Amino acid sequence: MHERLPGFRDFYPEDCAKRNFLFRVWSDAARCHGFHEYDIPTLEPLNLFTEKSGPEIVSQLFNFTDKGGREVALRPELTPSLARMVGAKVASLPKPLKWFNIAENFRYEKPQEGRLRSHYQLNCDIFGEPGPGADAELIATAIASIRSFGPTEKDFVVRLSDRTLWMLFLASLGHEGEAALGVLGVIDKLERLPREQALERLTPYFGDAREDFFAQVETILSLRDAPSLATFFLGHAPNADLRAKIEGRLAEWTTLLENLRAMGLGPFIRVDLGIVRGLAYYTGFVFEIFKLDADGTLSGRALAGGGRYDHLIGKLGFPETPAVGFGMGDVTMTQFLEERGCLPKMIEKPDVFVVLGGGEARTLGLAAVGALRSAGIRTEYPLREVGFGKQFRLAGQSGARLALIVGENEAARHQIRVKDLTSGGEVGIFASHAVEAIRAFLDEGIPPTDSPS
Amino acid sequence: MHERLPGFRDFYPEDCAKRNFLFRVWSDAARCHGFHEYDIPTLEPLNLFTEKSGPEIVSQLFNFTDKGGREVALRPELTPSLARMVGAKVASLPKPLKWFNIAENFRYEKPQEGRLRSHYQLNCDIFGEPGPGADAELIATAIASIRSFGPTEKDFVVRLSDRTLWMLFLASLGHEGEAALGVLGVIDKLERLPREQALERLTPYFGDAREDFFAQVETILSLRDAPSLATFFLGHAPNADLRAKIEGRLAEWTTLLENLRAMGLGPFIRVDLGIVRGLAYYTGFVFEIFKLDADGTLSGRALAGGGRYDHLIGKLGFPETPAVGFGMGDVTMTQFLEERGCLPKMIEKPDVFVVLGGGEARTLGLAAVGALRSAGIRTEYPLREVGFGKQFRLAGQSGARLALIVGENEAARHQIRVKDLTSGGEVGIFASHAVEAIRAFLDEGIPPTDSPS
């Protein structure tokens, strides 16, 4: 028997309808926030990904040599392809660009809970705006992409952090460039590392001062609002130059938080410098979204993550372009929404089921089928001649709102009998007016009748 | 500079909107006809395709060995994966199944006009119904998938043929099984073969009788209705057994054509036994859809093709299941629709552009932005503080229907000024009622005013 590959999914209609519902709500949220949809190729040159992420990425890719001798890979993410598209036209397009996409990404990794070899991801990115207004807009869109399904601030939280502030603080301790990124790499793992191991990894950077640094980090991770950030970081600025830079950055924090609060999103935001994002290319505000358990504790894998990456497009050989973006995956999101009762069971039903007699009645009935479908009404009928009893059972099973009955008696009078399968009400209509009548009955129903009219 | 692979496409927002419009109209047509959407993996085991199409197919595939040593391929088509899904559940699902999908397929072939290495295809299939009612339903869906964009019977035609009738006729000449399929293979190519070459290819089957056979084929290709089919094929039935079989088949032709005519689709159908479809697995009625030039002649590549394939699912190792299906590609369809002026230029515009003052005004305006978006209204605003003059220009360029103006004067009175960018009319509203008011203005517009209210 044929099996699909491990980590890939078949979508039977019910699963496909659920996935499409997810995509539709995501698209609507992105469009309401002024984002435009784009798309990129599924297959790309391999070096597009290695140039961004280094040769290590290859071990996680579905990559191969194509029949023309090209080294190619199934996309593991959209950003490099997006950089190509934006880079090629950034000079001519009005900015800011606000673009979104929902597409399949592929990673060759061990399939596990919440991680498959193929998954879909919503990506939203804003290009051309360096100020915190773009960060606020992006975070607002990420929140809407979850909130539109029903979850509230009791269900999830945006952990908002800032690599710029971290880099300024590390600079004040004498660490810049690669060393600073190395320290951030340790902080990124703190939640999963025992204290002793964390201290060990900090030794190359801080030597005997590692315990002091660790204590400062613990304080930083406990800061929960802008005034606390100001008190701590201004209190640790060793000179006027760094102090001015920190003050400038704190002003951007204020703008970001004020924008989010003004849009009514304050309750979804938690200042939390524990988030630094693993990838080296992030340059400013970064965030991850986590679900909250009933007692308010963070739970599970991140539902979404993103941040500012102002240098990536330039690094890939295109004009330097300020950028912020986030990604949100379908697997973790579906689990979360189902857990919170926010993904309804999606079953697509016809509007109308047409019950057909033979001969002239079938001809008249099929004419109605054609007319109803041309008018956009979802219409089903039996593909072969079967008895009325069976047809009524099929009509009921189909979940249709209305049954249209075209028997010999009706056909002789060019009539159609319409039955409301919810109320049981029935009326007769002229076949020539079927579309208008059915539209009205679908809107308003047919009142119950004691005996068929 | 990074380039995409040959035969693949980037979709900038305007192209993506056009593609999405195509997909949306296709989906609506399929759903109106009672089809349910499903989806399959992009990557599948290689043998799924070679078992259906033979090892020759490999030369046209993007295939490779994955990191787990599996032979895999990007799907060149959906049917084998679909057979797996249907085969696995056909016993438990209510029949007929009517399923559709719109997905990307991949072929490693020389990119040329109308044929790329990646293209999207609408696939509709019906399983579990062996009678011609299913063929009629499928063809009706294919017609609607084009007609819904605007083209009429003057623009395209369904060339309807029948491999069963061909096989019965060839049986009457002593050719069955592989030999009959060989002859069909020659007939499939007749439109592109010079007469001499066609005769040469027929020699192995008919020897000196090839000219006679060729003359009969020419007659068959000129038959244009069911009575002509009956006259010819019954007139060439050499014995009672074949005559009975041909009579049975002609009755199915009558049912098929009556179903289509009853649904109002007669003008789209051309009986045309020149279509036999290249693939060996088709078993009954087959069809291809072609565009018509202004003078009614067939033109270009087929827009769609399909037919009955009752044995394929069984051949792939699943329970024998009657099946009909068609495919319709996005590249040829887009060209056709653009040629006929049926693909509008799609530009997505915001409903509302919010013009913001600074300070309190920005806070009040952003609150309106948040509220409008939560209500599903597409809302844009400048991501940074810029002057009113520039904001009004941006509002105009955005194509928004309404501008909301929140300056200091308005903010002090908790008001918002709303301007209809089409009529020029303006009114003031209370910020607390913005959503209801904006909904009404989007529906009804604001009458022009001589001076701002």
Side-chain angles (χ1 to χ4, degrees), chain A residues 10 12 19 39 42 61 63 67 84-85 104 137 373 381, chain B residues 10 12 19 39 42 61 63 67 84-85 104 137 373 381:
Chain A
D10 286 332
Y12 280 88
R19 188 194 71 176
D39 205 4
T42 302
L61 296 180
N63 63 300
K67 293 196 162 64
R84 175 186 65 218
M85 288 180 67
E104 197 178 2
E137 180 76 340
R373 287 172 167 179
Y381 67 95
Chain B
D10 286 332
Y12 280 88
R19 186 194 72 177
D39 204 3
T42 302
L61 296 181
N63 63 300
K67 293 196 162 64
R84 175 187 64 217
M85 286 180 68
E104 197 178 2
E137 179 78 339
R373 288 171 167 179
Y381 67 96

PDB file of all heavy atoms in Angstrom, chain A residues 10 12 19 39 42 61 63 67 84-85 104 137 373 381, chain B residues 10 12 19 39 42 61 63 67 84-85 104 137 373 381:
ATOM      1  N   ASP A  10      -1.805  14.460   4.414  1.00  0.00           N
ATOM      2  CA  ASP A  10      -2.950  14.500   3.508  1.00  0.00           C
ATOM      3  C   ASP A  10      -4.017  15.354   4.193  1.00  0.00           C
ATOM      4  O   ASP A  10      -4.205  15.261   5.403  1.00  0.00           O
ATOM      5  CB  ASP A  10      -3.542  13.085   3.316  1.00  0.00           C
ATOM      6  CG  ASP A  10      -2.677  12.203   2.420  1.00  0.00           C
ATOM      7  OD1 ASP A  10      -1.972  12.735   1.544  1.00  0.00           O
ATOM      8  OD2 ASP A  10      -2.718  10.969   2.597  1.00  0.00           O
ATOM      9  N   TYR A  12      -7.854  15.560   4.129  1.00  0.00           N
ATOM     10  CA  TYR A  12      -9.200  15.167   3.710  1.00  0.00           C
ATOM     11  C   TYR A  12     -10.108  16.395   3.829  1.00  0.00           C
ATOM     12  O   TYR A  12      -9.752  17.352   4.531  1.00  0.00           O
ATOM     13  CB  TYR A  12      -9.701  14.009   4.583  1.00  0.00           C
ATOM     14  CG  TYR A  12      -9.130  12.675   4.135  1.00  0.00           C
ATOM     15  CD1 TYR A  12      -7.916  12.209   4.620  1.00  0.00           C
ATOM     16  CD2 TYR A  12      -9.799  11.913   3.188  1.00  0.00           C
ATOM     17  CE1 TYR A  12      -7.377  11.003   4.183  1.00  0.00           C
ATOM     18  CE2 TYR A  12      -9.284  10.700   2.752  1.00  0.00           C
ATOM     19  CZ  TYR A  12      -8.073  10.245   3.246  1.00  0.00           C
ATOM     20  OH  TYR A  12      -7.551   9.063   2.805  1.00  0.00           O
ATOM     21  N   ARG A  19      -8.141  23.898   7.732  1.00  0.00           N
ATOM     22  CA  ARG A  19      -6.935  24.620   7.325  1.00  0.00           C
ATOM     23  C   ARG A  19      -7.303  25.886   6.556  1.00  0.00           C
ATOM     24  O   ARG A  19      -6.746  26.963   6.792  1.00  0.00           O
ATOM     25  CB  ARG A  19      -6.078  23.710   6.437  1.00  0.00           C
ATOM     26  CG  ARG A  19      -4.721  24.297   6.110  1.00  0.00           C
ATOM     27  CD  ARG A  19      -4.062  23.542   4.963  1.00  0.00           C
ATOM     28  NE  ARG A  19      -4.738  23.815   3.700  1.00  0.00           N
ATOM     29  CZ  ARG A  19      -4.354  23.355   2.516  1.00  0.00           C
ATOM     30  NH1 ARG A  19      -3.320  22.546   2.444  1.00  0.00           N
ATOM     31  NH2 ARG A  19      -4.999  23.655   1.423  1.00  0.00           N
ATOM     32  N   ASP A  39       3.635  35.984  -3.471  1.00  0.00           N
ATOM     33  CA  ASP A  39       4.045  34.574  -3.345  1.00  0.00           C
ATOM     34  C   ASP A  39       5.387  34.361  -4.029  1.00  0.00           C
ATOM     35  O   ASP A  39       5.772  35.137  -4.910  1.00  0.00           O
ATOM     36  CB  ASP A  39       2.980  33.637  -3.911  1.00  0.00           C
ATOM     37  CG  ASP A  39       3.049  32.235  -3.287  1.00  0.00           C
ATOM     38  OD1 ASP A  39       3.871  32.007  -2.364  1.00  0.00           O
ATOM     39  OD2 ASP A  39       2.276  31.374  -3.717  1.00  0.00           O
ATOM     40  N   THR A  42       8.313  27.635  -4.816  1.00  0.00           N
ATOM     41  CA  THR A  42       8.501  26.560  -3.835  1.00  0.00           C
ATOM     42  C   THR A  42       9.959  26.078  -3.863  1.00  0.00           C
ATOM     43  O   THR A  42      10.511  25.696  -2.833  1.00  0.00           O
ATOM     44  CB  THR A  42       7.557  25.397  -4.186  1.00  0.00           C
ATOM     45  OG1 THR A  42       6.224  25.889  -4.182  1.00  0.00           O
ATOM     46  CG2 THR A  42       7.673  24.254  -3.190  1.00  0.00           C
ATOM     47  N   LEU A  61      17.746  20.852   5.124  1.00  0.00           N
ATOM     48  CA  LEU A  61      16.993  21.160   3.910  1.00  0.00           C
ATOM     49  C   LEU A  61      16.634  19.922   3.107  1.00  0.00           C
ATOM     50  O   LEU A  61      17.309  18.901   3.190  1.00  0.00           O
ATOM     51  CB  LEU A  61      17.812  22.086   3.010  1.00  0.00           C
ATOM     52  CG  LEU A  61      18.138  23.481   3.534  1.00  0.00           C
ATOM     53  CD1 LEU A  61      18.950  24.249   2.505  1.00  0.00           C
ATOM     54  CD2 LEU A  61      16.871  24.232   3.888  1.00  0.00           C
ATOM     55  N   ASN A  63      17.305  19.354  -0.197  1.00  0.00           N
ATOM     56  CA  ASN A  63      18.060  19.942  -1.298  1.00  0.00           C
ATOM     57  C   ASN A  63      18.549  18.850  -2.244  1.00  0.00           C
ATOM     58  O   ASN A  63      18.659  17.686  -1.864  1.00  0.00           O
ATOM     59  CB  ASN A  63      19.247  20.741  -0.759  1.00  0.00           C
ATOM     60  CG  ASN A  63      20.244  19.866  -0.028  1.00  0.00           C
ATOM     61  OD1 ASN A  63      19.890  19.226   0.951  1.00  0.00           O
ATOM     62  ND2 ASN A  63      21.481  19.830  -0.506  1.00  0.00           N
ATOM     63  N   LYS A  67      17.935  18.381 -12.873  1.00  0.00           N
ATOM     64  CA  LYS A  67      18.399  17.729 -14.108  1.00  0.00           C
ATOM     65  C   LYS A  67      19.230  18.668 -14.974  1.00  0.00           C
ATOM     66  O   LYS A  67      19.875  18.228 -15.917  1.00  0.00           O
ATOM     67  CB  LYS A  67      17.197  17.173 -14.885  1.00  0.00           C
ATOM     68  CG  LYS A  67      16.539  16.031 -14.123  1.00  0.00           C
ATOM     69  CD  LYS A  67      15.615  15.212 -14.994  1.00  0.00           C
ATOM     70  CE  LYS A  67      15.319  13.869 -14.359  1.00  0.00           C
ATOM     71  NZ  LYS A  67      14.572  13.970 -13.074  1.00  0.00           N
ATOM     72  N   ARG A  84      14.830  39.002  -2.187  1.00  0.00           N
ATOM     73  CA  ARG A  84      15.080  39.131  -3.622  1.00  0.00           C
ATOM     74  C   ARG A  84      13.993  39.980  -4.291  1.00  0.00           C
ATOM     75  O   ARG A  84      14.282  40.909  -5.052  1.00  0.00           O
ATOM     76  CB  ARG A  84      15.119  37.746  -4.283  1.00  0.00           C
ATOM     77  CG  ARG A  84      15.252  37.827  -5.810  1.00  0.00           C
ATOM     78  CD  ARG A  84      15.144  36.452  -6.476  1.00  0.00           C
ATOM     79  NE  ARG A  84      13.809  35.898  -6.288  1.00  0.00           N
ATOM     80  CZ  ARG A  84      13.569  34.616  -6.068  1.00  0.00           C
ATOM     81  NH1 ARG A  84      14.558  33.742  -6.019  1.00  0.00           N
ATOM     82  NH2 ARG A  84      12.340  34.186  -5.919  1.00  0.00           N
ATOM     83  N   MET A  85      12.717  39.651  -3.981  1.00  0.00           N
ATOM     84  CA  MET A  85      11.612  40.386  -4.624  1.00  0.00           C
ATOM     85  C   MET A  85      11.620  41.856  -4.230  1.00  0.00           C
ATOM     86  O   MET A  85      11.451  42.734  -5.069  1.00  0.00           O
ATOM     87  CB  MET A  85      10.264  39.745  -4.245  1.00  0.00           C
ATOM     88  CG  MET A  85      10.024  38.406  -4.907  1.00  0.00           C
ATOM     89  SD  MET A  85       8.409  37.703  -4.431  1.00  0.00           S
ATOM     90  CE  MET A  85       7.272  38.869  -5.203  1.00  0.00           C
ATOM     91  N   GLU A 104       3.656  27.015   2.245  1.00  0.00           N
ATOM     92  CA  GLU A 104       4.244  25.804   2.800  1.00  0.00           C
ATOM     93  C   GLU A 104       5.760  25.968   2.872  1.00  0.00           C
ATOM     94  O   GLU A 104       6.384  26.421   1.916  1.00  0.00           O
ATOM     95  CB  GLU A 104       3.882  24.648   1.849  1.00  0.00           C
ATOM     96  CG  GLU A 104       4.049  23.276   2.425  1.00  0.00           C
ATOM     97  CD  GLU A 104       3.615  22.186   1.437  1.00  0.00           C
ATOM     98  OE1 GLU A 104       3.223  22.511   0.296  1.00  0.00           O
ATOM     99  OE2 GLU A 104       3.696  21.007   1.825  1.00  0.00           O
ATOM    100  N   GLU A 137       2.928  48.421  14.253  1.00  0.00           N
ATOM    101  CA  GLU A 137       1.983  47.944  13.234  1.00  0.00           C
ATOM    102  C   GLU A 137       2.111  46.426  13.046  1.00  0.00           C
ATOM    103  O   GLU A 137       1.122  45.697  12.928  1.00  0.00           O
ATOM    104  CB  GLU A 137       2.276  48.664  11.913  1.00  0.00           C
ATOM    105  CG  GLU A 137       1.402  48.289  10.749  1.00  0.00           C
ATOM    106  CD  GLU A 137       0.025  48.905  10.816  1.00  0.00           C
ATOM    107  OE1 GLU A 137      -0.404  49.306  11.908  1.00  0.00           O
ATOM    108  OE2 GLU A 137      -0.631  48.975   9.763  1.00  0.00           O
ATOM    109  N   ARG A 373     -26.976  27.130  -9.812  1.00  0.00           N
ATOM    110  CA  ARG A 373     -25.517  27.172  -9.711  1.00  0.00           C
ATOM    111  C   ARG A 373     -24.952  28.414 -10.399  1.00  0.00           C
ATOM    112  O   ARG A 373     -24.014  29.026  -9.890  1.00  0.00           O
ATOM    113  CB  ARG A 373     -24.931  25.912 -10.341  1.00  0.00           C
ATOM    114  CG  ARG A 373     -25.147  24.679  -9.479  1.00  0.00           C
ATOM    115  CD  ARG A 373     -24.731  23.431 -10.224  1.00  0.00           C
ATOM    116  NE  ARG A 373     -24.642  22.273  -9.347  1.00  0.00           N
ATOM    117  CZ  ARG A 373     -24.315  21.058  -9.773  1.00  0.00           C
ATOM    118  NH1 ARG A 373     -24.065  20.854 -11.067  1.00  0.00           N
ATOM    119  NH2 ARG A 373     -24.233  20.062  -8.920  1.00  0.00           N
ATOM    120  N   TYR A 381     -27.706  17.236  -6.446  1.00  0.00           N
ATOM    121  CA  TYR A 381     -28.816  16.401  -6.915  1.00  0.00           C
ATOM    122  C   TYR A 381     -28.238  15.004  -7.132  1.00  0.00           C
ATOM    123  O   TYR A 381     -27.028  14.843  -7.235  1.00  0.00           O
ATOM    124  CB  TYR A 381     -29.410  16.974  -8.213  1.00  0.00           C
ATOM    125  CG  TYR A 381     -28.447  16.902  -9.376  1.00  0.00           C
ATOM    126  CD1 TYR A 381     -28.472  15.833 -10.282  1.00  0.00           C
ATOM    127  CD2 TYR A 381     -27.471  17.874  -9.548  1.00  0.00           C
ATOM    128  CE1 TYR A 381     -27.561  15.766 -11.331  1.00  0.00           C
ATOM    129  CE2 TYR A 381     -26.557  17.808 -10.585  1.00  0.00           C
ATOM    130  CZ  TYR A 381     -26.609  16.744 -11.481  1.00  0.00           C
ATOM    131  OH  TYR A 381     -25.698  16.669 -12.485  1.00  0.00           O
TER     132      TYR A 381
ATOM    133  N   ASP B  10       7.904  34.497  -9.445  1.00  0.00           N
ATOM    134  CA  ASP B  10       7.601  35.345  -8.294  1.00  0.00           C
ATOM    135  C   ASP B  10       6.237  35.969  -8.547  1.00  0.00           C
ATOM    136  O   ASP B  10       5.930  36.347  -9.676  1.00  0.00           O
ATOM    137  CB  ASP B  10       8.626  36.494  -8.173  1.00  0.00           C
ATOM    138  CG  ASP B  10       9.986  36.039  -7.651  1.00  0.00           C
ATOM    139  OD1 ASP B  10      10.033  35.046  -6.901  1.00  0.00           O
ATOM    140  OD2 ASP B  10      10.994  36.676  -8.013  1.00  0.00           O
ATOM    141  N   TYR B  12       4.420  39.186  -7.490  1.00  0.00           N
ATOM    142  CA  TYR B  12       4.293  40.473  -6.810  1.00  0.00           C
ATOM    143  C   TYR B  12       2.809  40.689  -6.505  1.00  0.00           C
ATOM    144  O   TYR B  12       1.946  40.028  -7.115  1.00  0.00           O
ATOM    145  CB  TYR B  12       4.862  41.591  -7.694  1.00  0.00           C
ATOM    146  CG  TYR B  12       6.378  41.663  -7.614  1.00  0.00           C
ATOM    147  CD1 TYR B  12       7.181  40.909  -8.459  1.00  0.00           C
ATOM    148  CD2 TYR B  12       6.994  42.462  -6.653  1.00  0.00           C
ATOM    149  CE1 TYR B  12       8.576  40.948  -8.361  1.00  0.00           C
ATOM    150  CE2 TYR B  12       8.378  42.512  -6.550  1.00  0.00           C
ATOM    151  CZ  TYR B  12       9.170  41.761  -7.402  1.00  0.00           C
ATOM    152  OH  TYR B  12      10.521  41.796  -7.295  1.00  0.00           O
ATOM    153  N   ARG B  19      -3.829  36.026  -9.584  1.00  0.00           N
ATOM    154  CA  ARG B  19      -3.836  34.575  -9.380  1.00  0.00           C
ATOM    155  C   ARG B  19      -4.909  34.193  -8.351  1.00  0.00           C
ATOM    156  O   ARG B  19      -5.661  33.229  -8.546  1.00  0.00           O
ATOM    157  CB  ARG B  19      -2.456  34.115  -8.891  1.00  0.00           C
ATOM    158  CG  ARG B  19      -2.320  32.628  -8.799  1.00  0.00           C
ATOM    159  CD  ARG B  19      -1.092  32.239  -7.990  1.00  0.00           C
ATOM    160  NE  ARG B  19      -1.284  32.502  -6.569  1.00  0.00           N
ATOM    161  CZ  ARG B  19      -0.399  32.210  -5.622  1.00  0.00           C
ATOM    162  NH1 ARG B  19       0.771  31.682  -5.942  1.00  0.00           N
ATOM    163  NH2 ARG B  19      -0.651  32.455  -4.360  1.00  0.00           N
ATOM    164  N   ASP B  39      -6.442  18.368  -0.006  1.00  0.00           N
ATOM    165  CA  ASP B  39      -5.078  18.694  -0.438  1.00  0.00           C
ATOM    166  C   ASP B  39      -4.145  17.528  -0.150  1.00  0.00           C
ATOM    167  O   ASP B  39      -4.440  16.679   0.687  1.00  0.00           O
ATOM    168  CB  ASP B  39      -4.574  19.979   0.222  1.00  0.00           C
ATOM    169  CG  ASP B  39      -3.477  20.669  -0.596  1.00  0.00           C
ATOM    170  OD1 ASP B  39      -3.147  20.190  -1.708  1.00  0.00           O
ATOM    171  OD2 ASP B  39      -2.951  21.688  -0.134  1.00  0.00           O
ATOM    172  N   THR B  42       3.151  18.065  -1.177  1.00  0.00           N
ATOM    173  CA  THR B  42       3.922  18.558  -2.320  1.00  0.00           C
ATOM    174  C   THR B  42       4.979  17.532  -2.734  1.00  0.00           C
ATOM    175  O   THR B  42       5.300  17.391  -3.909  1.00  0.00           O
ATOM    176  CB  THR B  42       4.612  19.879  -1.919  1.00  0.00           C
ATOM    177  OG1 THR B  42       3.605  20.802  -1.513  1.00  0.00           O
ATOM    178  CG2 THR B  42       5.406  20.475  -3.063  1.00  0.00           C
ATOM    179  N   LEU B  61      10.579  14.621 -14.077  1.00  0.00           N
ATOM    180  CA  LEU B  61      10.293  14.944 -12.678  1.00  0.00           C
ATOM    181  C   LEU B  61      11.418  15.716 -12.012  1.00  0.00           C
ATOM    182  O   LEU B  61      12.572  15.623 -12.413  1.00  0.00           O
ATOM    183  CB  LEU B  61      10.059  13.658 -11.884  1.00  0.00           C
ATOM    184  CG  LEU B  61       8.862  12.803 -12.262  1.00  0.00           C
ATOM    185  CD1 LEU B  61       8.790  11.589 -11.344  1.00  0.00           C
ATOM    186  CD2 LEU B  61       7.573  13.610 -12.161  1.00  0.00           C
ATOM    187  N   ASN B  63      13.043  14.914  -9.113  1.00  0.00           N
ATOM    188  CA  ASN B  63      13.138  13.813  -8.153  1.00  0.00           C
ATOM    189  C   ASN B  63      14.530  13.766  -7.542  1.00  0.00           C
ATOM    190  O   ASN B  63      15.491  14.258  -8.125  1.00  0.00           O
ATOM    191  CB  ASN B  63      12.808  12.489  -8.833  1.00  0.00           C
ATOM    192  CG  ASN B  63      13.785  12.140  -9.926  1.00  0.00           C
ATOM    193  OD1 ASN B  63      13.929  12.888 -10.889  1.00  0.00           O
ATOM    194  ND2 ASN B  63      14.473  11.010  -9.791  1.00  0.00           N
ATOM    195  N   LYS B  67      17.351  12.904   2.683  1.00  0.00           N
ATOM    196  CA  LYS B  67      18.427  12.617   3.651  1.00  0.00           C
ATOM    197  C   LYS B  67      18.190  11.313   4.410  1.00  0.00           C
ATOM    198  O   LYS B  67      19.090  10.833   5.094  1.00  0.00           O
ATOM    199  CB  LYS B  67      18.587  13.802   4.605  1.00  0.00           C
ATOM    200  CG  LYS B  67      19.102  15.044   3.884  1.00  0.00           C
ATOM    201  CD  LYS B  67      19.636  16.088   4.820  1.00  0.00           C
ATOM    202  CE  LYS B  67      20.506  17.070   4.065  1.00  0.00           C
ATOM    203  NZ  LYS B  67      19.773  17.858   3.038  1.00  0.00           N
ATOM    204  N   ARG B  84      -4.563   7.450  -3.581  1.00  0.00           N
ATOM    205  CA  ARG B  84      -4.210   6.940  -2.247  1.00  0.00           C
ATOM    206  C   ARG B  84      -5.233   7.385  -1.208  1.00  0.00           C
ATOM    207  O   ARG B  84      -5.727   6.590  -0.418  1.00  0.00           O
ATOM    208  CB  ARG B  84      -2.824   7.451  -1.841  1.00  0.00           C
ATOM    209  CG  ARG B  84      -2.459   7.064  -0.410  1.00  0.00           C
ATOM    210  CD  ARG B  84      -1.150   7.724   0.053  1.00  0.00           C
ATOM    211  NE  ARG B  84      -1.278   9.176   0.106  1.00  0.00           N
ATOM    212  CZ  ARG B  84      -0.312  10.019  -0.225  1.00  0.00           C
ATOM    213  NH1 ARG B  84       0.858   9.572  -0.643  1.00  0.00           N
ATOM    214  NH2 ARG B  84      -0.508  11.317  -0.131  1.00  0.00           N
ATOM    215  N   MET B  85      -5.580   8.678  -1.241  1.00  0.00           N
ATOM    216  CA  MET B  85      -6.516   9.196  -0.232  1.00  0.00           C
ATOM    217  C   MET B  85      -7.892   8.562  -0.385  1.00  0.00           C
ATOM    218  O   MET B  85      -8.519   8.169   0.593  1.00  0.00           O
ATOM    219  CB  MET B  85      -6.634  10.721  -0.361  1.00  0.00           C
ATOM    220  CG  MET B  85      -5.426  11.461   0.150  1.00  0.00           C
ATOM    221  SD  MET B  85      -5.617  13.268  -0.024  1.00  0.00           S
ATOM    222  CE  MET B  85      -6.941  13.586   1.172  1.00  0.00           C
ATOM    223  N   GLU B 104      -0.087  23.491  -6.833  1.00  0.00           N
ATOM    224  CA  GLU B 104       1.083  23.641  -7.687  1.00  0.00           C
ATOM    225  C   GLU B 104       1.571  22.256  -8.112  1.00  0.00           C
ATOM    226  O   GLU B 104       1.681  21.356  -7.299  1.00  0.00           O
ATOM    227  CB  GLU B 104       2.169  24.344  -6.864  1.00  0.00           C
ATOM    228  CG  GLU B 104       3.286  24.931  -7.655  1.00  0.00           C
ATOM    229  CD  GLU B 104       4.302  25.665  -6.770  1.00  0.00           C
ATOM    230  OE1 GLU B 104       4.149  25.672  -5.530  1.00  0.00           O
ATOM    231  OE2 GLU B 104       5.263  26.210  -7.340  1.00  0.00           O
ATOM    232  N   GLU B 137     -22.007  15.788 -14.842  1.00  0.00           N
ATOM    233  CA  GLU B 137     -21.743  16.685 -13.705  1.00  0.00           C
ATOM    234  C   GLU B 137     -20.327  17.257 -13.790  1.00  0.00           C
ATOM    235  O   GLU B 137     -20.097  18.448 -13.544  1.00  0.00           O
ATOM    236  CB  GLU B 137     -21.921  15.884 -12.407  1.00  0.00           C
ATOM    237  CG  GLU B 137     -21.663  16.652 -11.134  1.00  0.00           C
ATOM    238  CD  GLU B 137     -22.819  17.567 -10.745  1.00  0.00           C
ATOM    239  OE1 GLU B 137     -23.617  17.905 -11.626  1.00  0.00           O
ATOM    240  OE2 GLU B 137     -22.880  17.945  -9.570  1.00  0.00           O
ATOM    241  N   ARG B 373     -10.291  48.098  12.408  1.00  0.00           N
ATOM    242  CA  ARG B 373      -9.724  46.818  11.962  1.00  0.00           C
ATOM    243  C   ARG B 373     -10.384  45.641  12.661  1.00  0.00           C
ATOM    244  O   ARG B 373     -10.628  44.608  12.039  1.00  0.00           O
ATOM    245  CB  ARG B 373      -8.222  46.814  12.219  1.00  0.00           C
ATOM    246  CG  ARG B 373      -7.463  47.722  11.261  1.00  0.00           C
ATOM    247  CD  ARG B 373      -6.020  47.855  11.693  1.00  0.00           C
ATOM    248  NE  ARG B 373      -5.200  48.449  10.649  1.00  0.00           N
ATOM    249  CZ  ARG B 373      -3.896  48.694  10.794  1.00  0.00           C
ATOM    250  NH1 ARG B 373      -3.287  48.398  11.934  1.00  0.00           N
ATOM    251  NH2 ARG B 373      -3.203  49.220   9.807  1.00  0.00           N
ATOM    252  N   TYR B 381      -2.873  53.956   7.888  1.00  0.00           N
ATOM    253  CA  TYR B 381      -2.494  55.237   8.499  1.00  0.00           C
ATOM    254  C   TYR B 381      -0.994  55.368   8.344  1.00  0.00           C
ATOM    255  O   TYR B 381      -0.313  54.373   8.095  1.00  0.00           O
ATOM    256  CB  TYR B 381      -2.930  55.274   9.972  1.00  0.00           C
ATOM    257  CG  TYR B 381      -2.163  54.289  10.823  1.00  0.00           C
ATOM    258  CD1 TYR B 381      -1.029  54.693  11.547  1.00  0.00           C
ATOM    259  CD2 TYR B 381      -2.529  52.947  10.886  1.00  0.00           C
ATOM    260  CE1 TYR B 381      -0.310  53.771  12.296  1.00  0.00           C
ATOM    261  CE2 TYR B 381      -1.816  52.036  11.632  1.00  0.00           C
ATOM    262  CZ  TYR B 381      -0.705  52.457  12.341  1.00  0.00           C
ATOM    263  OH  TYR B 381       0.010  51.540  13.071  1.00  0.00           O
TER     264      TYR B 381
END
